[in-house]
Amino acid sequence: YHARDAARFRCAHNKALLLLASATPSIETYTAAVSGRYELCKLTKRYGNAHLPSVETVDMNAEMQSGNASMLSRRLIECLQENIDEHKQSILLLNRRGHNTFVSCGGCGEVVSCPNCSISLTYHSANNRLMCHYCGYSQPYTEKCANCGNEHVRYSGAGTQRVEQELKMYLPDARILRVDADSTVARSSFERMLTDFGDGKYDIMLGTQMVAKGLDFSNVTLVGVLGADGLLYSDDYRCYERAFSLLTQVVGRSGRGDSPGTALVQTVTPDSPVIQLAAQQDFDKFYEQEIMTRKIMIYPPYCDLCLIGFVGEDKEQVKASATAFFSRIRDLNQCTFPSVKMIILGPSAASVPRVGGKYRYRIIIKTKNTADFRELISSALCDFGRDRRNKNVSAYADMNPDNIM
């Protein structure tokens, strides 16, 4: 469930006041606020003497052209060293864990992938294994290609473990704290790490999106964002919104005390409007651009999205079930529920077609979440469940999903 929607329902049921607070509200929520359905309140300055940090973008293309193949720009290393010398702290965000993000053969080009999922394996130096971040499958580190036997296997891409290694090389005296899903497995380890960082036991906190929001350390005067471009590209219509939110929030971790803050955003696309507006902390301008795109493409808040998911072990059967469900929805719409207006996309394979040994297909419906539409989908799901041809395929409906699979 979505905590916001659950809170909204409970407040309506109990006649209570609901306060939604965020530096980067969702597009749907902000639309409700500017249209008058919600009351809009703005905080225009930071608490006390704190000011928004100055933000600088670093063009990583220029770094590569000058011979720097590291994930850390020269400018960032320089700023980190200055912070250490001044006994200040820094936070670095890289939203990819592991050491290398994919492994490929230099001979045949084969990418080492998970046998259960349509995803490449990530190398983790902590346990010297290749791991799947979807199903948990792992196998030992290898230098030989299983496909052709070539021993020229290349480890590419960078995660938090590799950046930690580079930080130790460039800044040998720095006390580094890595915070990601691998380092916070033990119970209460995340809380303990934050306490230690707040007590000044570390100079640099490097982490995934776990370090991007909600942290308030007055001694942090530098934030660095590594691989900002990776946030911009996915097949989810919310990818720009998520990228802007994450960048804006993590930049806001800097300069929360009396000392001025700085943020460095490393990118290979410094002209990206999303990165530029996040650097300027200009939510209103971002909202103007994003809401225009949503309106043209007919995405929320101009409609509701319903995701119909299909999961099964036989790819052709899952595809056939999804196709049959599509036909059933169309028939119900034409004959029984002609008043329901909708745009149907699909059926198509999910962005990651296979997870945990099961294939996934999806149908995406743009519509309005009315009683008639819900009854239509309920009827289609009941018919689906009664059809013996679908006995090995699971189907489900998710209204306004947080992620489109």
Side-chain angles (χ1 to χ4, degrees):
Y1 65 92
H2 198 300
R4 179 193 63 205
D5 295 337
R8 187 168 56 190
F9 174 84
R10 291 200 62 185
C11 286
H13 182 73
N14 293 286
K15 297 181 173 59
L17 175 68
L18 174 63
L19 177 65
L20 301 173
S22 175
T24 55
S26 72
I27 298 298
E28 293 90 334
T29 298
Y30 197 71
T31 299
V34 296
S35 66
R37 284 201 297 124
Y38 295 172
E39 182 180 351
L40 178 62
C41 302
K42 289 187 177 183
L43 297 176
T44 56
K45 61 181 182 178
R46 280 186 160 187
Y47 174 78
N49 297 321
H51 297 280
L52 288 174
S54 60
V55 184
E56 176 183 339
T57 55
V58 180
D59 188 349
M60 294 304 288
N61 293 307
E63 290 287 321
M64 288 184 279
Q65 289 170 6
S66 64
N68 179 18
S70 167
M71 284 291 292
L72 304 169
S73 65
R74 294 181 178 89
R75 173 68 175 143
L76 180 56
I77 295 170
E78 176 187 316
C79 290
L80 288 169
Q81 186 62 65
E82 288 178 2
N83 244 26
I84 293 171
D85 294 341
E86 295 173 2
H87 305 290
K88 299 295 184 182
Q89 293 174 297
S90 309
I91 293 178
L92 300 181
L93 168 70
L94 174 60
N95 206 25
R96 292 194 298 268
R97 61 190 177 99
H99 191 277
N100 296 105
T101 51
F102 68 95
V103 184
S104 62
C105 175
C108 67
E110 182 80 6
V111 175
V112 183
S113 302
C114 175
N116 308 313
C117 310
S118 307
I119 200 74
S120 61
L121 296 178
T122 299
Y123 172 59
H124 287 247
S125 57
N127 58 4
N128 204 36
R129 295 183 71 84
L130 301 171
M131 301 179 65
C132 174
H133 289 173
Y134 278 77
C135 72
Y137 169 86
S138 72
Q139 67 183 50
Y141 167 88
T142 181
E143 292 183 352
K144 181 181 288 188
C145 175
N147 185 54
C148 69
N150 195 313
E151 295 190 356
H152 296 290
V153 174
R154 298 177 298 186
Y155 285 73
S156 308
T160 49
Q161 291 178 3
R162 178 179 162 185
V163 172
E164 181 184 23
Q165 195 177 73
E166 291 185 356
L167 284 169
K168 290 177 179 177
M169 180 177 65
Y170 290 115
L171 305 166
D173 298 327
R175 298 169 298 169
I176 303 164
L177 175 65
R178 178 169 55 84
V179 181
D180 55 28
D182 298 313
S183 63
T184 57
V185 174
R187 184 179 179 183
S188 302
S189 56
F190 182 52
E191 292 80 2
R192 186 173 62 253
M193 287 177 173
L194 295 184
T195 299
D196 289 344
F197 187 75
D199 291 341
K201 295 180 181 179
Y202 296 94
D203 302 307
I204 302 171
M205 179 159 61
L206 163 69
T208 53
Q209 60 183 348
M210 299 169 73
V211 306
K213 298 183 180 183
L215 304 184
D216 186 12
F217 298 111
S218 59
N219 200 38
V220 171
T221 57
L222 175 65
V223 162
V225 181
L226 316 181
D229 313 278
L231 306 170
L232 299 174
Y233 306 109
S234 78
D235 64 350
D236 195 318
Y237 73 96
R238 285 197 185 97
C239 68
Y240 279 7
E241 180 183 354
R242 289 200 178 100
F244 178 87
S245 177
L246 191 62
L247 289 171
T248 302
Q249 294 277 2
V250 73
V251 162
R253 300 312 99 201
S254 178
R256 300 181 72 84
D258 294 331
S259 302
T262 303
L264 298 181
V265 180
Q266 296 187 168
T267 171
V268 295
T269 56
D271 295 329
S272 164
V274 177
I275 291 177
Q276 288 183 346
L277 292 172
Q280 297 164 15
Q281 304 273 286
D282 193 341
F283 176 81
D284 289 334
K285 186 67 174 178
F286 170 76
Y287 172 79
E288 289 176 10
Q289 295 186 4
E290 183 67 10
I291 198 66
M292 192 182 305
T293 303
R294 298 279 185 97
K295 186 174 184 179
I296 293 171
M297 301 299 293
I298 315 177
Y299 276 114
Y302 295 101
C303 73
D304 291 299
L305 280 189
C306 181
L307 170 69
I308 311 294
F310 305 87
V311 182
E313 295 180 356
D314 187 310
K315 180 180 178 180
E316 293 305 318
Q317 188 176 15
V318 175
K319 183 178 179 180
S321 294
T323 302
F325 193 93
F326 172 86
S327 298
R328 182 58 182 153
I329 290 178
R330 187 178 55 191
D331 292 343
L332 284 170
N333 186 211
Q334 291 175 348
C335 302
T336 313
F337 301 94
S339 63
V340 176
K341 306 298 181 185
M342 56 180 156
I343 300 171
I344 307 178
L345 308 176
S348 62
S351 54
V352 180
R354 188 168 178 251
V355 172
K358 294 185 176 181
Y359 292 93
R360 310 190 303 169
Y361 268 73
R362 65 189 180 185
I363 293 174
I364 299 171
I365 305 173
K366 299 178 180 181
T367 185
K368 286 295 181 182
N369 186 11
T370 63
D372 282 349
F373 174 75
R374 292 193 295 272
E375 189 177 346
L376 185 157
I377 295 299
S378 177
S379 298
L381 286 172
C382 290
D383 294 343
F384 182 90
R386 285 191 288 263
D387 192 333
R388 296 291 296 169
R389 291 173 295 181
N390 301 320
K391 65 179 181 178
N392 295 321
V393 179
S394 299
Y396 63 90
D398 191 356
M399 203 70 200
N400 292 317
D402 195 46
N403 287 288
I404 296 177
M405 71 176 192

